[in-house]
Amino acid sequence: MPKYTPLAVANTFLARHAGSAGIDHMKLQKLVYYAYGWWLAYQPEPLLTEGPELWKHGPVFSSLYRTLASSRSAGIIEPQKAVPFSLPPTVPEADDQAIGLIDWIWGKYGQFGSFKLSDMTHAKGTPWQIEAEKNNYRVPMHHKIPDGLISDCFKKEAEALDN
């Protein structure tokens, strides 16, 4: 199974769901995080080439942050490039599983704004909250949220949905 960069998944959200208002950076971070977590609930290997880090406003993919930071809170309308003179990376349409997940994530979380999604990732019992509590709510630089913790949390949520 191919792995994608966080930017490729964010760009796929933009290409498929941005509309004329676009999607702001923080919301893209949270949508990519939910795609990462839900993928791990059902698959043994991560969908992305990097895992989320523990940041003040929730789980963040640092490479995605670096690429989108200049947009601040403005809506991003079009897929973004990681480097000049290249095409913006996206998840190929032929990857039915990943595209299906991205569309499912949009259906489940797309109606929420950035701050609501951030609050949801901070809720008691979430991977971010558990890891933040272990660190006395300090956010050490480059502290990865363990995949096992993310997987376990999303598997529990998947079981609850199945029941």
Side-chain angles (χ1 to χ4, degrees):
M1 172 45 80
K3 290 185 175 185
Y4 303 106
T5 63
L7 180 60
V9 173
N11 278 340
T12 304
F13 277 112
L14 289 167
R16 297 177 71 82
H17 302 290
S20 61
I23 305 171
D24 69 69
H25 178 186
M26 189 184 334
K27 183 171 182 171
L28 281 169
Q29 285 281 355
K30 303 314 171 221
L31 293 170
V32 172
Y33 169 73
Y34 279 115
Y36 187 86
W38 279 105
W39 183 269
L40 283 176
Y42 294 96
Q43 302 295 330
E45 295 296 320
L47 176 66
L48 301 180
T49 55
E50 77 181 76
E53 295 178 357
L54 186 71
W55 285 36
K56 180 180 176 182
H57 293 291
V60 170
F61 296 90
S62 60
S63 67
L64 185 58
Y65 181 85
R66 286 189 305 274
T67 302
L68 301 181
S70 64
S71 67
R72 303 191 189 264
S73 62
I76 303 166
I77 297 168
E78 296 179 353
Q80 303 294 298
K81 296 177 182 180
V83 294
F85 309 113
S86 67
L87 293 174
T90 58
V91 174
E93 290 291 325
D95 189 342
D96 295 336
Q97 259 190 321
I99 293 293
L101 175 69
I102 288 166
D103 289 343
W104 184 84
I105 295 295
W106 182 260
K108 185 167 177 62
Y109 301 102
Q111 75 270 19
F112 300 120
S114 302
F115 290 102
K116 172 68 174 170
L117 289 169
S118 184
D119 289 347
M120 291 165 61
T121 65
H122 283 76
K124 182 134 181 82
T126 62
W128 182 92
Q129 186 274 326
I130 292 167
E131 206 57 24
E133 186 174 58
K134 279 187 202 173
N135 288 281
N136 296 316
Y137 291 92
R138 292 188 182 101
V139 286
M141 289 281 290
H142 308 296
H143 182 89
K144 299 277 187 209
I145 301 172
D147 282 351
L149 181 60
I150 295 169
S151 176
D152 290 348
C153 178
F154 280 89
K155 282 179 182 177
K156 287 178 191 166
E157 196 166 333
E159 288 171 10
L161 282 179
D162 289 341
N163 291 331

